[in-house]
Every structure is written in structure tokens, then in C-alpha cells.
Amino acid sequence: MTTPPSRPGADRTDGSSVRIGALVPLTRPGWVGAGQHLLAGLELAVREVNGADGIAGRPLELVVRDTAADPQRAAAAVEELAGLGVAALAGEYHSVVARAAATRADALGLPFLCSSAVLDALTEQPTEWVARLSPPQSRGWQVYADFLLAAGHSRIAVAAQPSVYWAAGTRILRDYLAPRGGTVTELDMSAFDATARCDATAVCDELVDNRATALLLLVGHPEPAVSIVKSVRRDQRLAEIMIGAPAGQPEFAEWETLLGDDSAAIPFLRYLPERLTPLGVRVETALREQLDEAPSFVAFEGYDSVVVLADVLRTNGVDRAARTADSWQRVAVEGTRGQIRFSRMPGISVWQWAGTPIQVVDRDPAEPHRFRILHTG
């Protein structure tokens, strides 16, 4: 594991700096687009912290490690970063990878602010060392289920690959929809003869047989998600079916590039408010310039992570051993998407921002590069 090339504001390595370890997926099979946006937000915030006298006069340094969506690699990175003396960890997009990182951070007594992963059970047991900005999967996916019901969809099919994350999502949807008259039929993608460039004809046949009105993509990006969308869109039997992607595959520009007009009208979850805070508006402009495209919600999560950690480090000091378990509950900072405070939520093992905004959005068929807000929760 190597640190990417140095970047302004994130490359100080002298002994006076305060180090934060950053875990991001920057190579395949990780979701590289998400990793790039997450890192952009982290880096921008570090530059701004350092432009405002750093942490008690000491510059903040970002020490980046590429997880490549590999839980073992992430756990090893946490070990390495702890050995380098980082004051805290931030980042990660993939839920299963974040769980591995959180488990190791908890064991080492290293503060970890999870930026973007949603799996409810980030750790097996309650921990004082881990906090999270993104909402727990159970909350976000229940908002998505409410959207499905309001849109008239009660016969739901999910095309799912084997994964703790996809399995948890399927269970959340089934448990929430069943008492409300909805059904969830799981199409096990491992049962189909699917290659990396999946021929999804069998999925289409299953959808027709089950009379589903909505198909949710609980599969990897770009494949087999892209191939499934293309196959369903071409099948005249399924002209009226809604395709959905609660995990957010359509959020990034690559989705539109790969699918063109087929990228539109596929509702997904994102974690933005209807209006950004004044800070968020300024940050959006800076991120757009840095990324050369519109920033995703993941970029804002990265920025907010550093805002929170800078507050914790200024308030509690940079000596890891000196910090107490109640650091997270004392946080009260203005982020790009609202005021951030952490609390304990039933069934969630980490400190959680309970006020994370949740939207269901899609790409506008008339202008696929624009997003429409369909539902909020």
C-alpha cells in the first residue's frame, strides 16, 4: 500500500504535522469514482484547515491509503497508520471494507470517523472509538421503501449479488414492505451464467414471470449493473418497469457516460439537503473546480469528515491516549449539509450523526446530467 502522489495541502511529512489517516478506494475493484470524490473533499478541507492556522498552529497532514474495496487491505492499512502515529482515521466508501477498518480501529483504540459507509453493524459490539456521518442503511433504505410504496410499487424484485451489504439491504426492504402489503423477490445473480459483461436475459425472464413493477440493482458497478439496465431497457415486455438503485450507482458521471439516455429515471439514495448550508455552497464551488465536474454527496462527506476531526483535535488535543470516550458526543460543528452532532441510536454500535439528510433522486430523462428530487426523508 502506497500513498498517492503528493497533493497541495495533503503532503506535509515533517514532525510538526498532525496526521489523519485517509482510507479511500482508488483502484479497482473499488468504486474509483466514489474514492476520488471522497478524497477531493478530504483534501479540500485539509487545505482550508491549514489556511486557518491548522491544529493549534500545527499543519494537518492527510496520509492516504488505497483500500481497493478489500477488507483485509483496509485492516492492514489501519495497523500501518496506527504505527505511523496518526491522530485519527477518516474515510471509506464500501460498507464491508469500512466494517473491517472500524473493527481494527476499535481494537487499537484509534478514533475512526466513517465518512460514507452505511452498514448498520460497523462493529460487532458497541464502541466508543468509531463515529459515522452517513446514515445507517436501515434508515436510508426504509426511506427508499417509502418512496417505492408512494410511487405505487408493491411487487419488488431485487437483482442481488452475494454480499453482507446487499443481503442486509434485501432484508431491510422485505421487513419494511411486508407489513405494508409489499413483496420482495430476490433474483440471485450468482445463479445466472453471468460474466463480467453480464447477459441479463435471464433476469428479464424472471421479472416477467414474477410480474414485478420495480427492479432494484443490488449489484456491483459498473458490471453487472450496466448490462442489466441495458437488457431491461431493450426488453419490450418490461417497458413499464421501474429500475432503481438504492446504493447510489447513478450518482457519478461514469454512469451517464456508460449508459447515455438509459442512465436516466433510475431512482437512488443520496445524502444531501434540499439546500446546502452557506459553507456547503462555497465548498461546492471549490469542489467543482477541483474535480472538473459536479461534486457528489460523497465529496461533501469527505469535507465534513475533516471539519469534524479538526474540531475534535482542537478541543481534545492530538495525543490519542489523552482523548476520552466522550469526544464524539461533544461535537457540534456546522458542516456543508447541516449541523453535525453525534448520538447513540438503537441498534447502531457506533456514534451516529442522526440528522443526515436523505433524498431519493434520479437523472432527468430530458437532461441526464441533471438530478430530480423525488422524495425526502
Side-chain angles (χ1 to χ4, degrees):
M1 291 174 289
T2 58
T3 302
S6 297
R7 304 163 189 255
D11 58 0
R12 292 290 297 265
T13 57
D14 60 76
S16 68
S17 62
V18 178
R19 292 176 162 187
I20 290 176
L23 304 173
V24 285
L26 295 174
T27 54
R28 300 289 188 192
W31 197 333
V32 176
Q36 291 169 338
H37 278 233
L38 180 57
L39 183 58
L42 292 165
E43 289 178 331
L44 175 61
V46 166
R47 290 197 298 272
E48 293 189 356
V49 167
N50 288 338
D53 201 33
I55 307 298
R58 297 170 62 183
L60 196 59
E61 175 191 353
L62 204 60
V63 185
V64 182
R65 291 296 179 265
D66 174 18
T67 64
D70 183 336
Q72 292 183 337
R73 185 166 173 168
V78 173
E79 290 272 3
E80 181 200 2
L81 291 166
L84 291 174
V86 300
L89 300 171
E92 195 44 51
Y93 178 80
H94 299 283
S95 281
V96 176
V97 180
R99 185 175 64 167
T103 298
R104 198 71 205 112
D106 179 48
L108 294 170
L110 178 59
F112 173 35
L113 178 53
C114 180
S115 305
S116 197
V118 300
L119 196 66
D120 280 31
L122 271 185
T123 55
E124 291 296 327
Q125 301 295 329
T127 174
E128 301 293 339
W129 293 102
V130 182
R132 175 167 52 192
L133 287 176
S134 51
Q137 188 179 13
S138 55
R139 178 169 171 246
W141 287 48
Q142 285 177 9
V143 169
Y144 196 90
D146 281 332
F147 158 74
L148 291 173
L149 292 171
H153 298 290
S154 59
R155 298 184 65 85
I156 314 301
V158 298
Q161 290 179 306
S163 162
V164 171
Y165 174 61
W166 301 128
T170 302
R171 183 173 60 254
I172 291 165
L173 291 170
R174 182 174 285 125
D175 290 349
Y176 192 78
L177 289 170
R180 295 163 176 82
T183 61
V184 176
T185 301
E186 185 172 356
L187 310 181
D188 182 0
M189 294 304 297
S190 65
F192 297 118
D193 184 19
T195 65
R197 309 294 298 179
C198 170
D199 176 359
T201 302
V203 174
C204 296
D205 293 340
E206 290 275 356
L207 293 173
V208 172
D209 291 344
N210 284 284
R211 294 183 292 117
T213 65
L215 168 67
L216 307 187
L217 303 173
L218 309 193
V219 294
H221 168 85
E223 292 296 340
V226 168
S227 291
I228 293 172
V229 171
K230 289 180 177 179
S231 293
V232 172
R233 294 287 203 219
R234 286 195 302 264
D235 195 318
Q236 293 302 310
R237 300 173 299 172
L238 301 172
E240 300 301 319
I241 199 168
M242 187 205 83
I243 304 175
Q249 293 94 325
E251 168 76 6
F252 299 95
E254 183 185 17
W255 183 261
E256 184 187 356
T257 300
L258 292 171
L259 282 165
D261 290 344
D262 284 342
S263 67
I266 298 178
F268 63 94
L269 286 167
R270 72 173 181 182
Y271 308 124
L272 288 177
E274 202 164 342
R275 292 182 180 83
L276 293 167
T277 66
L279 171 64
V281 172
R282 180 179 62 75
V283 167
E284 180 181 36
T285 300
L287 285 170
R288 186 182 293 270
E289 181 178 345
Q290 182 173 334
L291 290 163
D292 198 29
E293 63 184 22
S296 69
F297 71 87
V298 180
F300 292 102
E301 289 175 327
Y303 185 95
D304 285 342
S305 296
V306 172
V307 169
V308 169
L309 288 179
D311 179 76
V312 169
L313 293 171
R314 290 182 183 123
T315 303
N316 298 287
V318 300
D319 180 4
R320 204 161 73 219
R323 284 194 296 283
T324 58
D326 62 353
S327 297
W328 300 119
Q329 68 180 344
R330 293 204 299 267
V331 168
V333 299
E334 192 68 20
T336 60
R337 299 164 297 150
Q339 187 177 64
I340 299 171
R341 294 178 177 270
F342 297 104
S343 60
R344 289 296 194 182
M345 294 178 63
I348 306 300
S349 60
V350 302
W351 286 94
Q352 178 70 52
W353 181 24
T356 314
I358 299 174
Q359 298 175 342
V360 179
V361 303
D362 70 357
R363 290 181 175 271
D364 189 339
E367 298 180 80
H369 64 283
R370 296 176 63 88
F371 295 106
R372 306 181 298 183
I373 299 174
L374 308 175
H375 187 79
T376 59

